[in-house]
Amino acid sequence: MSADDGPRPPDDRGARGSDGDDEPSGLQRITKATGGPLLVVREAAISIGCVAAIGLLLFAISGVWPPMVAVESGSMEPHMHKGDLVVITDSGRFAPDAAHDGTGVVTREAARAADYQKFGGYGSVIVYDEPGDGGPPVIHRAHFWVDRGENWYDRADPDHISASSCGEMPNCPAPHAGFVTKGDANGQYDQVNGISRSGPIKPGWIVGVARVRIPYLGWVRLGVSGVVLDTTPEIVTERSVETAESVRVSHSVSARN
């Protein structure tokens, strides 16, 4: 009887290389690639992973998404410029003691007493999104808080209004409680010049509070959204009147372009 008559082990030569080593898997080939398409795939995957990790870290710190916005016009000059990238956080995070009544926002009025300054001026710079507006959010400074029905004419800076009484001024008495806001470069309050038609900014309309400004980096986001193709020096909303304008912001990741 032949010695080969017994059962034979399975032939696994197809799973091994010519030198007897195991054939590397697809993932191993990608991780060990030193050139060609596999190297491109590996580097792209690493880049995407890094971006995702940074995004998650920023979200964990800021509490909002997206955590960065790009400034689209110049009404916060000279403290913010078109093309700046601004890092924002949820209004409740890192709130100073001078913040108004749990909102996390320090008004310009209160900031003077507390010596709290941000972006070259007193008070918090907030990003707000007025319901029904349809446009991108606005980034302006909070000047003071008003209560519902309040006659805030006497509290307003005469240089930032164009009326001789509360009855002649829009949103006075206040239709609801909220913040009176203004762009640093604008001549009038948002609630007076028509930038905020609904009146004072309610805490629930606040998307975030500006924390850090990174010059020029926002042009990348604006280029993607097409804003950079606009030939006008500044973007003026159709709601603005006379010389008033609003700083519009474009989210770093947003469907609202």
Side-chain angles (χ1 to χ4, degrees), residues 29-40 42:
R29 288 197 298 270
I30 292 175
T31 56
K32 295 180 179 180
T34 58
L38 293 181
L39 177 62
V40 174
R42 185 185 70 191

Side-chain angles (χ1 to χ4, degrees), residues 205-217:
W205 300 354
I206 298 175
V207 177
V209 176
R211 301 297 182 187
V212 179
R213 179 182 72 92
I214 307 173
Y216 309 117
L217 198 56

